[in-house]
Amino acid sequence: MAQTFAGSQQRDGGAEEGPMGYVEGSIIRIKMQNFLTYNYAVVRPGTNLNLVIGPNGSGKSSILCAICLGLAGKTSVLGKGDKVGLFVKRGCNIGWIEIELYKKGGNVVIKREIHMENNQSVWLLNGRNSSQKAVEEVVKALHIQVSNLCQFLPQERVSEFSKMSKIELLEATEKSVGPPEMYDYHCQLKNFRSKERELENVVKEKASFLEKAKQRNERNKHDVTRYYEKKKHLDRIELLEKKKPWVEYEMARQELEGVKKERDEAKKQRANMKRTHVPMLNKIKTIENQLNPIEAQMKAKTVGITEASRTCKQKQDQLDRKNKEIEDIKQGFKMKEVEKHDHQKRISNTRRIIEGLKAELATFDDQQDVTPQLDAVNAELKRNREERASIQGEVADLRREMDNHSAESKLLAKKLNDMNNMMKAKEEKLKGRHRDTHTALQWLRQNRQLFTGNVHEPMMLVINVKDPRFAKYVENYISFHDLRSFVFQRKDDREKFMTEVRDKLNLKVNSIYAPEVSCSNRAPSRPIGSLERFGFYSYLREMFDAPEEVMSYLCFQYNVHDVPVGNNKTKEMIKTVIEEPYMRVFYTSDERYAVKRSFYSNKISTSNSALTPSQYLNIVVDTEQKQHLEQQMKTCQVKLQDTGEKMTTLQQRAATLDRTDNELREEKKQLSLTKGKKRLLEQKISAKQESQRQMEQSGIDLERIEEETKNKISAVNSQKVLIGTEFMSKMKLRHKLRMEEVYLALEIVGLTAEKTKLENDYGQDGAKLRTLDQVCSRLEQRKNQLVETCKDLMKKASEICNIDSVESVSTGLHAALSKLPDTLDEIEALLAEERSRADGFTGLSENVVEEYNRREQEVKNLEKELNEKTNALTTYRQNISEAKERWLNPLKLLVDQINKNFSDFFRSMQSAGEVELHTENEEEYDKYGIRIRVKFHSSTQLHDLTGYHQSGGERSVSTMLYLMALQELNRCPFRVVDEINQGMDPTNERRVFDIVVRTACKETTSQYVYITPKLMENLHYSEGITISCVHNSHTMVSSHQWDEKAFLGKRIQRKA
């Protein structure tokens, strides 16, 4: 069984001081059983600096894990898996840790049993069952913070220290070395400031709202005054409108009485006049009775005359139409005469044309025959058509070929565009995660000509996995820090790039220099075929493509050529796989396993973690396919160009043939015209002769047409005679009726004259009687109108005054109405004046007064609330000021002390560094932070400590010296640092170690645990150092059998 020894070299010549040398919370003893690499081990740290030394895999970090987990720390602090059961030694079900902490009045012993099966823990506190929460409270009371990087810094989290923000670093420092109440004061101040901002906003809102309310109410006050003035005028208008109908009623009533008297007097006069004119009126009536039948006869005669006149008019119209018909017949005969003359003229013209065509035909008898020439032209045309058809066929074939090439080109372009879009999607993800790297990428693409060797874009853009399923393995294995790194073939190109983008553009980017000798083709330690029985089917390198330099770096740095990937079968055989030699890192279908073997005991420790889904490399672009598509695209473009040139040549030849064809067709046309002109003349002569024969046969018989015309005119004249006879009969009847009408008219004139004489005698008295009738009728109508008017006015007045009768008018209303004018004109004038004044007060209502009173009350309430909030804010600011003094003054002193120690340490290393309290606004307490600035070269300036600007070794030195600066100010009982010297150059490592020894071995400092796999030779040591050498081997003796004095004696003998 492998055992582990933890020896110690005590101060004062090895004499054990006991608990009195420890500060409260220091670790006195750590006991482990079945924990990681240990079967059983006990570690007893010294009071000051503790150096834990041992080879890799021997179990140094296991001690750090025991401290963290034994003091209720989380597994995430260690960065080694997320299940506590993984820390139980392989092959065991239960492991435990026991830690004894110094405390005045009695030490604290914490024990944690870890059960692997259910991943649970059992806690014991001083031998009694307890809960994790109780243990956490005890640990907190002793000022132990294993999650604070300023107190507990595992190897896996060293790089995180430089990545801490200023605010996070301040909080970690306060918790680590500040007084117990400093961090609480800081939290209180942040809460106070938040509450203060809320109160300030409330006070501002209240003050603003109050001022606006006052201004608004001040404006409303004038409106209220105007409202009351308007109301005064409206009240007066209301009284005037109430009195107006009473005045109107009184005036109407007085007018009614006058009209009644006038009507009665007119009726009396009319009755007296009617009694004196009765005989004369009777005679006039008799004459009117005689006139009525005569006037009836007169009307009948008038109707008969009208009917006869209408009939005469119709007959006259019929006669006119018959005359027009005769004129039309004569005109038709004249047109036939003209048509006869034109027909003779056309026959004469046709004869002349036939004679001319016969003369022209006689000239064609002696001309040469053009048939042979015409046959030759036809043969040439046939040859041209055949050649052109052949060219058209070739052009059609070429056009189809071009269409095929064009379609192929479009398809290839679409595929290439899709691949480019996938690359753009990768770039967008890079931009979203790390904008500085994306900005540097754009700069590189614009300035690639500045570099001599190959420069590759960030790995995540140039790595192309062969299958999306492989992306999660590659992405989980290669750190994001490297995935976003630029890869350079030459060192000078890398330095030039970093100067431009980091120093000048102030961008946080990573860059990598590929190995000078390519490692991309390194062979794996074992062929993949020998691992197939475990379910391994490929090495990680075969799962992706990358440029030469990128692949070389990944093989050199990550050994991707030697990391096998397996499937579910691998997971089922995991115990067998882990025991295989040369297995350091491998993958199953969904987990990553890391295997460590002890150099001495060959014991195996493993850690596993679940694979997270890929975020960046799951976008797969087949590089070979892309290159193949680009080559196909070029070939297609060449074919398109060649085909286009062939088509152009054929089209030019076709154009030449078209011109020749047109010339031949024109020649053929002329020859055909010459050959066919004689035949055409013969056809024209024949056609003209036929036309002449038809015209001679279709002549017009003018004598027959003349006879028909005379017969038609005779028939129309007979009809005219009949119509004339009827016309004369109606004319005689009309004349007779007119004479009878004249006789009746003379009789009416006689009777009318007699009646007129009587009426003239009746004369003036009749006119007076009619006038009196009209007056009586008018007065009666007026009286009725005035009665209705009085009733309406009485009703209106009662409704306006809201009374039933005149007797129910109230005394107050009667008194108010009696003060107003009694005439309608005066009331109308006063009403117009009051309305004009009231109309001058526009936009006012009763709501204005209500709103004014309501806002006046709101202003009083707001003033009260504002006073209360202002007083509360003043009190709060006083509290903040007091809390700020309690927190800020000690904090400034603390930072000054840290800065002094930090600057001294850097000065002793011939470098420069400073620590300062940083804030942009003293009142923003959540923005306070600690800024660390360092420089390692005299030619440079101080720069903030970040994860990007300094190298890994420089960051380790800065981190270590900051922790040392905290050591003398220590409030925490111990600090633990794991392998921080890895990456330091020898000079800095020696200087840092001297500072650690000088600082951590002072009597005033607390425990300091420094874990390292190696130390340089000839280092300076102090009596206050406790050195624990960790070994792990099958041949080691048990720790309780170890005899330090015997070992030293044997060593002295060997030297002698």
Side-chain angles (χ1 to χ4, degrees):
M1 180 184 293
Q3 299 291 334
T4 302
F5 166 77
S8 63
Q9 175 187 348
Q10 302 291 345
R11 293 179 297 172
D12 300 329
E16 186 175 350
E17 288 187 359
M20 296 306 293
Y22 293 95
V23 299
E24 193 166 54
S26 296
I27 300 173
I28 294 178
R29 173 176 53 84
I30 306 170
K31 188 182 292 185
M32 297 166 284
Q33 182 170 323
N34 296 333
F35 183 77
L36 290 176
T37 59
Y38 294 106
N39 292 338
Y40 175 84
V42 179
V43 180
R44 300 181 183 274
T47 57
N48 292 110
L49 177 60
N50 291 269
L51 294 178
V52 181
I53 308 171
N56 289 329
S58 61
K60 304 184 304 301
S61 296
S62 299
I63 298 173
L64 178 138
C65 295
I67 295 172
C68 175
L69 298 179
L71 296 177
K74 292 182 172 58
T75 56
S76 58
V77 174
L78 301 170
K80 293 185 177 182
D82 55 350
K83 298 179 180 179
V84 71
L86 297 175
F87 290 85
V88 177
K89 184 180 174 83
R90 182 170 298 279
C92 301
N93 293 324
I94 299 175
W96 56 264
I97 310 159
E98 184 177 273
I99 299 178
E100 181 179 356
L101 302 174
Y102 173 69
K103 184 179 181 183
K104 294 178 181 178
N107 291 348
V108 176
V109 179
I110 300 172
K111 184 175 181 180
R112 181 176 188 174
E113 288 185 2
I114 303 172
H115 295 259
M116 182 179 182
E117 290 183 356
N118 56 9
N119 201 44
Q120 299 292 322
S121 298
V122 177
W123 295 89
L124 287 86
L125 187 59
N126 292 329
R128 297 179 180 179
N129 286 334
S130 182
S131 64
Q132 182 173 343
K133 185 175 181 181
V135 173
E136 289 174 350
E137 291 176 354
V138 170
V139 170
K140 183 179 179 181
L142 294 173
H143 308 300
I144 298 172
Q145 306 165 23
V146 292
S147 61
N148 189 338
L149 295 183
C150 290
Q151 181 176 351
F152 194 87
L153 191 60
Q155 177 185 358
E156 286 78 4
R157 300 188 67 192
V158 170
S159 61
E160 292 184 22
F161 186 89
S162 60
K163 297 178 183 178
M164 291 173 68
S165 67
K166 300 178 180 67
I167 297 171
E168 292 172 339
L169 183 58
L170 173 60
E171 292 180 355
T173 303
E174 287 177 329
K175 294 176 183 177
S176 177
V177 298
E181 66 280 0
M182 178 177 285
Y183 181 69
D184 295 335
Y185 285 158
H186 191 183
C187 293
Q188 288 177 7
L189 276 172
K190 288 190 281 188
N191 294 332
F192 284 165
R193 178 55 183 158
S194 177
K195 183 66 176 177
E196 181 188 17
R197 280 195 292 264
E198 292 178 6
L199 284 173
E200 286 175 348
N201 292 334
V202 170
V203 169
K204 287 180 181 177
E205 290 175 3
K206 294 287 183 185
S208 175
F209 193 72
L210 176 61
E211 184 62 26
K212 290 178 181 177
K214 285 182 176 180
Q215 293 175 359
R216 192 162 50 245
N217 236 23
E218 192 62 31
R219 292 193 298 269
N220 288 352
K221 186 175 181 180
H222 177 64
D223 292 341
V224 170
T225 304
R226 294 175 66 243
Y227 171 78
Y228 282 120
E229 291 180 7
K230 179 180 180 180
K231 191 172 185 305
K232 180 179 176 182
H233 292 297
L234 292 175
D235 291 343
R236 190 167 177 80
I237 290 169
E238 185 180 0
L239 285 173
L240 288 168
E241 287 179 343
K242 285 180 178 180
K243 185 163 184 179
K244 181 180 177 182
W246 291 110
V247 174
E248 290 175 343
Y249 167 75
E250 184 62 26
M251 291 175 65
R253 189 188 63 78
Q254 292 176 3
E255 185 180 358
L256 176 60
E257 292 298 329
V259 169
K260 283 181 179 180
K261 290 179 181 180
E262 190 176 351
R263 181 202 61 180
D264 293 343
E265 185 64 28
K267 282 184 177 182
K268 187 176 180 181
Q269 291 178 7
R270 185 182 64 179
N272 293 332
M273 189 172 290
K274 278 184 177 182
R275 283 194 296 269
T276 61
H277 293 85
V278 172
M280 190 180 293
L281 290 174
N282 292 333
K283 192 171 183 179
I284 291 172
K285 189 173 182 180
T286 301
I287 293 172
E288 288 177 351
N289 292 333
Q290 294 175 354
L291 280 172
N292 288 335
I294 297 173
E295 289 176 350
Q297 293 178 13
M298 187 76 173
K299 289 181 181 179
K301 299 298 181 184
T302 302
V303 171
I305 293 169
T306 302
E307 180 63 24
S309 297
R310 184 180 64 77
T311 304
C312 290
K313 179 68 171 61
Q314 290 176 351
K315 296 302 179 180
Q316 182 64 50
D317 292 340
Q318 290 177 1
L319 288 173
D320 292 340
R321 284 196 294 274
K322 293 301 178 181
N323 292 329
K324 180 68 170 58
E325 187 176 349
I326 292 171
E327 289 296 325
D328 291 340
I329 293 170
K330 292 179 178 180
Q331 185 65 30
F333 179 72
K334 290 180 180 179
M335 290 179 65
K336 288 295 181 179
E337 289 179 337
V338 172
E339 185 178 351
K340 175 76 173 176
H341 180 266
D342 291 341
H343 185 71
Q344 295 295 332
K345 189 175 181 180
R346 284 199 301 274
I347 292 173
S348 175
N349 290 337
T350 303
R351 288 182 184 142
R352 286 197 300 272
I353 291 171
I354 291 171
E355 292 173 359
L357 290 173
K358 287 181 178 180
E360 186 177 356
L361 180 61
T363 63
F364 277 89
D365 293 336
D366 301 328
Q367 286 189 358
Q368 183 181 0
D369 188 9
V370 294
T371 301
Q373 297 178 14
L374 192 61
D375 292 341
V377 170
N378 286 331
E380 185 67 23
L381 280 172
K382 183 178 180 181
R383 285 195 297 275
N384 276 4
R385 280 196 299 272
E386 290 174 352
E387 185 176 358
R388 187 167 57 182
S390 174
I391 291 172
Q392 287 176 348
E394 292 181 18
V395 169
D397 293 340
L398 289 174
R399 183 170 285 109
R400 283 193 296 273
E401 187 178 348
M402 281 191 72
D403 291 341
N404 293 335
H405 291 328
S406 179
E408 183 182 1
S409 177
K410 289 180 181 178
L411 181 61
L412 292 173
K414 183 178 182 301
K415 290 181 179 179
L416 285 171
N417 186 50
D418 292 342
M419 289 185 174
N420 292 331
N421 289 338
M422 294 170 72
M423 292 301 295
K424 288 181 181 178
K426 276 190 176 184
E427 290 184 27
E428 288 299 320
K429 286 191 174 184
L430 174 63
K431 183 179 179 181
R433 177 72 183 272
H434 207 277
R435 186 174 292 274
D436 282 4
T437 303
H438 185 267
T439 305
L441 172 64
Q442 302 303 318
W443 182 90
L444 174 63
R445 290 175 176 174
Q446 296 172 4
N447 300 277
R448 195 178 288 273
Q449 72 280 0
L450 300 177
F451 305 101
T452 306
N454 294 333
V455 181
H456 298 286
E457 296 178 354
M459 284 189 194
M460 64 179 290
L461 299 181
V462 299
I463 289 177
N464 187 54
V465 295
K466 298 179 179 179
D467 191 310
R469 295 175 299 170
F470 300 158
K472 61 181 180 180
Y473 303 117
V474 181
E475 191 168 320
N476 277 273
Y477 189 62
I478 304 172
S479 69
F480 182 73
H481 183 84
D482 280 346
L483 281 176
R484 63 182 180 83
S485 297
F486 295 84
V487 182
F488 292 82
Q489 184 183 23
R490 296 170 57 92
K491 285 184 179 180
D492 54 345
D493 284 344
R494 178 177 180 270
E495 292 173 358
K496 184 186 298 183
F497 175 79
M498 295 304 288
T499 301
E500 292 292 335
V501 300
R502 185 182 66 184
D503 298 338
K504 294 183 180 180
L505 300 179
N506 199 25
L507 299 176
K508 298 175 182 178
V509 297
N510 296 331
S511 61
I512 291 170
Y513 165 62
E516 293 182 359
V517 178
S518 176
C519 304
S520 61
N521 295 320
R522 279 185 179 180
S525 57
R526 297 173 65 180
I528 192 65
S530 64
L531 300 177
E532 287 180 354
R533 67 182 188 278
F534 301 120
F536 293 109
Y537 57 88
S538 174
Y539 283 108
L540 201 60
R541 179 178 62 184
E542 278 66 44
M543 289 186 166
F544 65 93
D545 296 320
E548 173 71 20
E549 287 78 8
V550 175
M551 186 65 80
S552 176
Y553 173 80
L554 293 177
C555 290
F556 175 79
Q557 184 69 23
Y558 288 94
N559 293 321
V560 294
H561 63 286
D562 212 17
V563 178
V565 179
N567 50 30
N568 291 331
K569 181 180 178 181
T570 310
K571 189 172 183 180
E572 293 171 359
M573 302 177 64
I574 193 66
K575 291 185 178 180
T576 306
V577 173
I578 290 173
E579 293 174 357
E580 280 292 307
Y582 308 109
M583 283 288 186
R584 292 181 175 82
V585 179
F586 62 89
Y587 286 90
T588 64
S589 58
D590 54 4
E591 287 185 316
R592 169 186 172 176
Y593 284 83
V595 181
K596 291 185 179 180
R597 297 179 181 274
S598 173
F599 182 76
Y600 300 97
S601 65
N602 204 32
K603 287 290 182 179
I604 299 173
S605 63
T606 63
S607 63
N608 67 314
S609 57
L611 296 179
T612 57
S614 173
Q615 298 182 24
Y616 307 102
L617 301 182
N618 53 354
I619 301 175
V620 178
V621 178
D622 192 334
T623 307
E624 293 182 0
Q625 184 184 4
K626 185 179 179 183
Q627 293 174 352
H628 181 63
L629 289 175
E630 289 173 347
Q631 185 61 38
Q632 283 183 313
M633 190 74 174
K634 291 179 182 176
T635 304
C636 191
Q637 294 295 337
V638 171
K639 289 181 179 178
L640 276 172
Q641 186 176 355
D642 293 343
T643 306
E645 291 174 356
K646 291 179 182 178
M647 279 192 67
T648 302
T649 303
L650 289 174
Q651 287 170 350
Q652 290 174 352
R653 175 58 183 161
T656 303
L657 289 174
D658 286 341
R659 288 193 297 272
T660 304
D661 189 82
N662 291 334
E663 292 171 358
L664 291 172
R665 286 180 184 277
E666 184 63 27
E667 185 179 354
K668 179 182 177 181
K669 181 180 177 182
Q670 295 299 327
L671 292 172
S672 297
L673 287 174
T674 301
K675 181 179 180 181
K677 198 166 185 180
K678 180 178 180 181
R679 186 167 61 251
L680 183 63
L681 286 173
E682 293 173 349
Q683 291 174 353
K684 284 184 178 181
I685 291 170
S686 176
K688 290 295 182 180
Q689 288 173 345
E690 178 64 21
S691 176
Q692 178 183 355
R693 184 182 62 79
Q694 290 178 357
M695 284 189 294
E696 289 175 349
Q697 290 177 356
S698 62
I700 298 173
D701 189 357
L702 196 59
E703 293 178 354
R704 180 182 58 79
I705 293 172
E706 183 178 3
E707 184 64 26
E708 290 176 356
T709 300
K710 289 178 180 179
N711 294 334
K712 288 179 181 179
I713 292 173
S714 176
V716 172
N717 285 330
S718 299
Q719 294 174 3
K720 283 178 64 178
V721 169
L722 294 175
I723 293 170
T725 304
E726 293 178 359
F727 175 73
M728 292 305 297
S729 173
K730 291 296 182 181
M731 286 292 291
K732 291 177 180 180
L733 177 61
R734 186 177 67 174
H735 178 71
K736 177 183 177 185
L737 291 174
R738 247 181 225 290
M739 291 303 296
E740 292 175 354
E741 182 184 27
V742 169
Y743 294 145
L744 290 173
L746 291 174
E747 187 175 354
I748 289 172
V749 169
L751 291 173
T752 303
E754 185 179 357
K755 180 184 175 185
T756 302
K757 182 176 180 303
L758 290 171
E759 287 177 349
N760 288 335
D761 292 341
Y762 187 69
Q764 296 178 352
D765 292 339
K768 288 181 180 179
L769 184 60
R770 287 192 298 273
T771 301
L772 285 174
D773 287 339
Q774 293 173 358
V775 169
C776 288
S777 178
R778 179 176 56 78
L779 290 174
E780 184 65 26
Q781 291 177 357
R782 179 59 181 161
K783 186 213 62 159
N784 294 334
Q785 289 176 355
L786 288 173
V787 169
E788 293 299 323
T789 301
C790 287
K791 289 179 181 179
D792 292 341
L793 291 173
M794 174 61 75
K795 183 179 179 181
K796 180 179 178 183
S798 299
E799 288 176 353
I800 291 176
C801 295
N802 197 19
I803 59 175
D804 297 331
S805 62
V806 180
E807 291 77 12
S808 58
V809 176
S810 64
T811 307
L813 179 59
H814 186 273
L817 294 177
S818 63
K819 295 179 181 179
L820 299 175
D822 294 326
T823 65
L824 192 59
D825 291 340
E826 290 178 332
I827 288 176
E828 290 289 352
L830 193 55
L831 263 174
E833 181 181 353
E834 292 296 333
R835 283 173 178 158
S836 177
R837 291 181 179 179
D839 290 342
F841 299 94
T842 58
L844 299 175
S845 66
E846 192 173 350
N847 294 335
V848 173
V849 179
E850 294 176 0
E851 183 71 13
Y852 176 79
N853 294 332
R854 184 179 64 78
R855 285 181 177 165
E856 191 69 24
Q857 186 60 40
E858 283 183 2
V859 168
K860 292 178 182 178
N861 295 337
L862 283 172
E863 288 176 343
K864 182 179 178 181
E865 291 179 11
L866 181 59
N867 289 334
E868 292 174 356
K869 295 297 182 182
T870 304
N871 293 336
L873 180 59
T874 303
T875 304
Y876 222 83
R877 284 174 173 167
Q878 291 175 354
N879 295 336
I880 290 174
S881 179
E882 294 172 1
K884 181 179 179 181
E885 290 180 4
R886 292 195 302 268
W887 170 72
L888 189 57
N889 293 337
L891 177 62
K892 288 181 177 179
L893 293 175
L894 178 65
V895 174
D896 289 343
Q897 291 174 335
I898 295 172
N899 180 50
K900 180 179 180 303
N901 295 338
F902 190 74
S903 300
D904 291 344
F905 291 155
F906 260 87
R907 198 176 301 111
S908 68
M909 294 181 63
Q910 299 177 359
S911 298
E914 65 179 23
V915 177
E916 64 180 7
L917 187 63
H918 177 266
T919 183
E920 296 176 358
N921 184 352
E922 286 193 1
E923 304 302 323
E924 299 297 332
Y925 303 107
D926 56 344
K927 298 295 191 298
Y928 275 77
I930 285 182
R931 179 166 67 179
I932 300 176
R933 304 178 71 211
V934 297
K935 74 170 183 175
F936 290 87
H937 307 286
S938 59
S939 60
T940 61
Q941 296 180 345
L942 286 169
H943 289 284
D944 289 356
L945 178 63
T946 64
Y948 311 99
H949 199 280
Q950 291 80 19
S951 66
E954 291 171 346
R955 291 196 297 272
S956 297
V957 170
S958 303
T959 302
M960 193 67 185
L961 294 185
Y962 185 78
L963 296 179
M964 286 293 99
L966 302 182
Q967 184 68 14
E968 292 186 351
L969 310 172
N970 189 33
R971 184 172 69 85
C972 62
F974 64 85
R975 277 192 176 79
V976 180
V977 178
D978 185 14
E979 297 192 21
I980 198 171
N981 58 335
Q982 299 303 304
M984 294 185 189
D985 60 70
T987 303
N988 283 338
E989 184 177 356
R990 183 178 298 278
R991 290 172 178 172
V992 169
F993 185 81
D994 290 343
I995 292 172
V996 171
V997 172
R998 189 168 62 249
T999 304
C1001 291
K1002 292 182 180 179
E1003 294 292 337
T1004 57
T1005 60
S1006 59
Q1007 242 176 9
Y1008 198 98
V1009 181
Y1010 186 85
I1011 300 174
T1012 179
K1014 64 179 179 63
L1015 286 174
M1016 299 180 65
E1017 296 180 355
N1018 301 320
L1019 293 174
H1020 172 71
Y1021 293 91
S1022 169
E1023 292 295 329
I1025 300 177
T1026 300
I1027 301 177
S1028 298
C1029 297
V1030 182
H1031 296 281
N1032 199 333
S1033 171
H1034 288 286
T1035 60
M1036 277 186 63
V1037 298
S1038 177
S1039 59
H1040 63 272
Q1041 296 175 350
W1042 178 260
D1043 187 345
E1044 183 180 349
K1045 292 181 180 179
F1047 173 78
L1048 294 174
K1050 289 180 181 179
R1051 182 64 176 167
I1052 292 171
Q1053 289 177 3
R1054 288 180 182 178
K1055 283 189 175 182

